[in-house]
Amino acid sequence: MSSAVASKLDTDKQTTYFRCIAGCPGHHSIYDVIYTCPSCGSLLEVHHEREPLKKRSAAEWKQLFESRASTSTWPYGSGVWGLREWVVPSLADENVVSMFEGNTNLFWAERLGQQLGVPDLWVKLCGNSHTGSFKDLGMTVLVSVVKQMMAQGSPVKAVACASTGDTSAALAAYAAYAGIPAVIFLPAGKVSTAQLIQPVANGAHVLALDTDFDGCMKIVQEVTQDNSIYLANSMNSLRIEGQKTVGIEIIRQFDWQVPDWIIIPVGNLGNISALYTGFKLMMDLGLIFRMPRLVAAQAARANPFYESFKLGFKEKISVTAQDTLANAIRIGDPVSYDKAVKAIVETDGIVEQATENELAAAAAHADLTGMFTCPHTGVALAVLTKLINRGVIKSSDKTVVISTAHGLKFTDFKVGYHESTLEEVTSQYANPAINLPADAATVKAEIEKRLGH
């Protein structure tokens, strides 16, 4: 590394660092093995000093990011690393671990929007990513930083996470690409087959524990107290740095215009915290001049954030999360609670919940207009429907629903719905395949019946 490059990296490190979200004094290097404030135990956040970033005007930032979007120039074609100066500017090129994540389709859900009475409805298809979920956005950052830490002589020798499915898939894939061992803690029997096989196929050390996600989270926190194993859950703020880019990307795709609403399914609450972080940075640098209203959508069977919201966030409420079709957000004690409260309060946001029947119906309804939604997106769509029916979201509002994962990871959910075998669900849109004899007359009669001729 040349002395000039080393000097630039040292400067960048001084302007991008961990700090306590509760305001305790002290800065910590993002290359240190640290997850919480040593003074008070609160979560950390990655902070970017604003003044160095203001050396570029808002117009210059927009032009720079637009020039990189979806190009094949390493690593800027990635939706995350195309925003490199706003993520981890001190990372050396050779340590970027990227699969050109991001730049996912902002889909105009015209037909569904017309049916719901909100024609300006958009769905951000984050599942159209390398491992099939938005978790890739955060994992490219975390694994890249770990690779640089190891190159600099850190004692870290592996990465680990507790997961309900998508996090483990993303960590395993990016760790495999980087050549770093990954240890995965999953709640036994509570992850879809498609999600389980992803880390298995990528060579991760997969440990299925006889507990729920919250139990897995406690174990992984104990295991990672040894600095040789690095924690990759969303309490690690490096994940938030990658995930915040989805909000910036949405604004860029809208030609730097801000939508009225963004609805996102939430569990551990890192994703809505990340959205707010991205919008706050854009506000501070003059790229936008108002915030969208953020909506956190929870499954009614795993709804601690909703219960806290109903009490005006006077206290953090934890619950024992029950079985839900939206198993990736089956979390009763969310780690990023304090960050998420700030995101809701600062954007005049809302927290709402959806029952099993409501989320399944919303997912099936959306599928009938050409999508293929995961159950968590179903939660967000069900909440959207509730807010429309209550008159909170108006017909003229530009509304974005963030689809967090690809429906192909949840085929058991789809099959169960259309075979009418899901508990607590009335499959009003069921469309099972029908078996017929290989007889043209019988087939033609069935087609005529179905088409109403």
Side-chain angles (χ1 to χ4, degrees):
M1 184 183 298
S2 72
S3 59
V5 172
S7 176
K8 179 184 183 302
L9 296 187
D10 287 340
T11 301
D12 286 341
K13 288 178 188 177
Q14 294 168 12
T15 59
T16 302
Y17 47 81
F18 285 135
R19 69 178 185 183
C20 174
I21 64 168
C24 293
H27 299 167
H28 311 278
S29 169
I30 62 172
Y31 300 104
D32 288 344
V33 181
I34 184 171
Y35 313 113
T36 56
C37 174
S39 298
C40 73
S42 295
L43 292 182
L44 303 173
E45 63 182 358
V46 177
H47 178 70
H48 298 266
E49 294 284 359
R50 298 318 199 230
E51 288 309 311
L53 296 176
K54 287 179 179 178
K55 291 177 181 178
R56 275 194 177 98
S57 68
E60 288 170 331
W61 280 121
K62 292 176 183 179
Q63 184 178 26
L64 177 65
F65 294 155
E66 287 169 355
S67 72
R68 293 172 174 173
S70 300
T71 65
S72 59
T73 305
W74 179 265
Y76 299 113
S78 158
V80 174
W81 297 108
L83 308 174
R84 185 176 188 168
E85 294 83 356
W86 290 10
V87 181
V88 187
S90 60
L91 197 75
D93 282 357
E94 63 269 21
N95 293 324
V96 174
V97 182
S98 173
M99 300 182 187
F100 274 34
E101 50 289 311
N103 292 317
T104 52
N105 183 19
L106 183 58
F107 169 70
W108 182 27
E110 181 183 15
R111 186 164 177 235
L112 180 63
Q114 292 287 359
Q115 292 174 2
L116 294 177
V118 283
D120 206 357
L121 176 64
W122 302 76
V123 179
K124 180 63 170 168
L125 297 174
C126 293
N128 294 358
S129 189
H130 182 73
T131 71
S133 88
F134 79 101
K135 298 294 178 73
D136 292 352
L137 301 173
M139 216 55 80
T140 181
V141 174
L142 184 139
V143 175
S144 296
V145 169
V146 170
K147 187 177 179 183
Q148 183 143 320
M149 291 165 64
M150 295 171 75
Q152 294 172 347
S154 168
V156 170
K157 62 184 180 183
V159 289
C161 74
S163 178
T164 50
D166 290 332
T167 298
S168 62
L171 179 61
Y174 281 82
Y177 189 37
I180 299 171
V183 184
I184 307 297
F185 298 85
L186 296 172
K190 297 180 174 68
V191 175
S192 76
T193 302
Q195 289 173 303
L196 174 62
I197 199 60
Q198 286 183 283
V200 168
N202 284 136
H205 304 285
V206 180
L207 309 176
L209 306 185
D210 187 20
T211 183
D212 57 10
F213 170 81
D214 297 308
C216 288
M217 192 68 215
K218 291 176 183 176
I219 297 292
V220 77
Q221 285 178 271
E222 290 184 29
V223 169
T224 53
Q225 287 179 6
D226 174 353
N227 287 354
S228 66
I229 302 178
Y230 192 74
L231 179 65
N233 280 96
S234 61
M235 68 180 293
N236 187 321
S237 296
L238 292 172
R239 287 267 309 280
I240 303 302
E241 283 305 284
Q243 289 168 204
K244 79 181 182 188
T245 63
V246 69
I248 301 167
E249 192 170 288
I250 288 170
I251 299 300
R252 177 178 60 76
Q253 290 172 313
F254 278 141
D255 197 23
W256 305 101
Q257 299 301 305
V258 180
D260 297 296
W261 298 90
I262 297 183
I263 305 172
I264 188 167
V266 300
N268 222 13
L269 303 179
N271 48 10
I272 196 161
S273 309
L275 270 179
Y276 171 75
T277 300
F279 287 120
K280 182 68 166 65
L281 183 56
M282 285 188 286
M283 285 275 288
D284 289 349
L285 297 180
L287 278 77
I288 61 173
F289 300 98
R290 67 178 180 90
M291 291 275 192
R293 295 185 70 182
L294 300 182
V295 179
Q298 289 214 290
R301 307 201 75 194
N303 65 350
F305 198 46
Y306 172 73
E307 294 295 337
S308 298
F309 174 76
K310 287 198 303 182
L311 297 176
F313 295 129
K314 291 178 181 176
E315 60 178 325
K316 177 184 177 181
I317 293 178
S318 298
V319 302
T320 300
Q322 305 299 308
D323 285 339
T324 173
L325 295 165
N327 57 21
I329 54 175
R330 185 183 183 237
I331 296 169
D333 186 20
V335 168
S336 296
Y337 172 82
D338 291 328
K339 291 182 178 181
V341 169
K342 184 177 183 180
I344 293 295
V345 171
E346 294 294 323
T347 64
D348 190 23
I350 293 172
V351 187
E352 185 53 88
Q353 65 177 359
T355 67
E356 300 298 285
N357 193 53
E358 288 168 343
L359 74 87
H365 183 194
D367 288 355
L368 289 175
T369 68
M371 284 180 269
F372 196 66
T373 49
C374 69
H376 318 92
T377 305
V379 173
L381 290 167
V383 165
L384 165 71
T385 303
K386 286 186 171 184
L387 295 180
I388 293 169
N389 291 341
R390 293 211 303 256
V392 177
I393 294 180
K394 312 292 192 216
S395 61
S396 59
D397 289 345
K398 182 183 289 292
T399 305
V400 178
V401 170
I402 294 186
S403 177
T404 52
H406 201 292
L408 284 172
K409 300 178 87 168
F410 302 92
T411 51
D412 291 347
F413 163 67
K414 299 293 190 188
V415 171
Y417 183 86
H418 289 286
E419 291 183 349
S420 300
T421 59
L422 298 179
E423 293 184 12
E424 300 184 25
V425 171
T426 302
S427 299
Q428 66 186 97
Y429 300 110
N431 183 34
I434 184 168
N435 294 321
L436 296 173
D439 174 72
T442 304
V443 169
K444 289 172 71 174
E446 179 64 26
I447 291 172
E448 288 177 1
K449 182 176 74 175
R450 286 177 169 243
L451 296 181
H453 294 160

